[in-house]
Amino acid sequence: MIDSILIGEDNLISRQVMEVLLDGKCQKVKAVASYDELMSELNRNHYDLLLLDYHLDQDADFMVARIRQQESINRNIPIFILSAEPERVVLDKMQDLAISGYIKKPIDPASLDVVLKNTSSISVEKESVQKSGIDLSHLEMLLGNRPDSVKRIV
């Protein structure tokens, strides 16, 4: 189950909409408005999912690369990019950066629910495998931290 979600979104209205859409779907939702706040929050607290605006005050590819390079509890966090740009444009730019997926803006509540459900089920399956003694420490990085890939393998 997803307990905590971090949202990186610089637009106040978009942050508020995301918080309303996520209300009651997890225990903690935290929204930040800048790259500095995002990195600070990732270094201080554990999150199960990151929803990241493609145009937060730095390029998303730079931010994702920094998140993946840091030695923190959130290094392998599932990251979904939020953007109004065409999915192919975003995914082509981000293809080597281990993002988990793309969510089109404006946010469709049903699409968001699918992301939450799929990400949550991956967490449960991963916990089951970990309890069985199989080492997954390198699997996420090898598969680019894509939950659908982890699900197929596991």
Side-chain angles (χ1 to χ4, degrees):
M1 174 172 191
I2 296 177
D3 290 325
S4 56
I5 298 173
L6 180 60
I7 303 165
E9 171 63 68
D10 56 353
N11 181 284
L12 175 61
I13 302 297
S14 295
R15 278 196 314 274
Q16 291 172 336
V17 167
M18 290 297 295
E19 288 173 328
V20 167
L21 290 174
L22 294 168
D23 186 42
K25 298 186 182 196
C26 66
Q27 293 180 3
K28 177 183 178 186
V29 175
K30 172 78 175 182
V32 297
S34 71
Y35 169 76
D36 290 335
E37 288 178 274
L38 178 84
M39 295 307 288
S40 176
E41 196 61 36
L42 287 171
N43 286 323
R44 283 186 303 188
N45 298 298
H46 169 77
Y47 288 93
D48 298 314
L49 177 64
L50 172 59
L51 302 175
L52 179 62
D53 178 32
Y54 187 59
H55 293 293
L56 192 64
D57 57 22
Q58 305 232 1
D59 286 335
D61 55 341
F62 170 77
M63 288 184 283
V64 171
R66 295 282 303 162
I67 292 165
R68 297 292 183 226
Q69 291 169 356
Q70 69 180 353
E71 292 297 326
S72 81
I73 55 177
N74 292 299
R75 181 178 184 195
N76 295 318
I77 188 173
I79 300 172
F80 283 81
I81 301 298
L82 309 171
S83 181
E85 293 194 31
E87 181 175 11
R88 182 59 23 220
V89 170
V90 173
L91 294 180
D92 283 351
K93 186 171 182 184
M94 308 291 280
Q95 68 183 352
D96 296 328
L97 295 174
I99 64 164
S100 302
Y102 164 91
I103 300 174
K104 183 166 181 56
K105 286 182 174 180
I107 306 296
D108 171 34
S111 297
L112 185 58
D113 287 345
V114 168
V115 166
L116 295 176
K117 181 180 179 228
N118 289 344
T119 304
S120 180
S121 68
I122 294 305
S123 298
V124 170
E125 290 175 19
K126 187 173 153 185
E127 287 171 18
S128 298
V129 171
Q130 286 173 331
K131 287 177 183 173
S132 71
I134 298 172
D135 180 15
L136 292 181
S137 59
H138 301 309
L139 183 60
E140 287 183 60
M141 292 307 285
L142 291 172
L143 294 175
N145 196 32
R146 296 190 54 91
D148 54 333
S149 300
V150 175
K151 187 174 184 178
R152 283 195 301 271
I153 300 291
V154 174

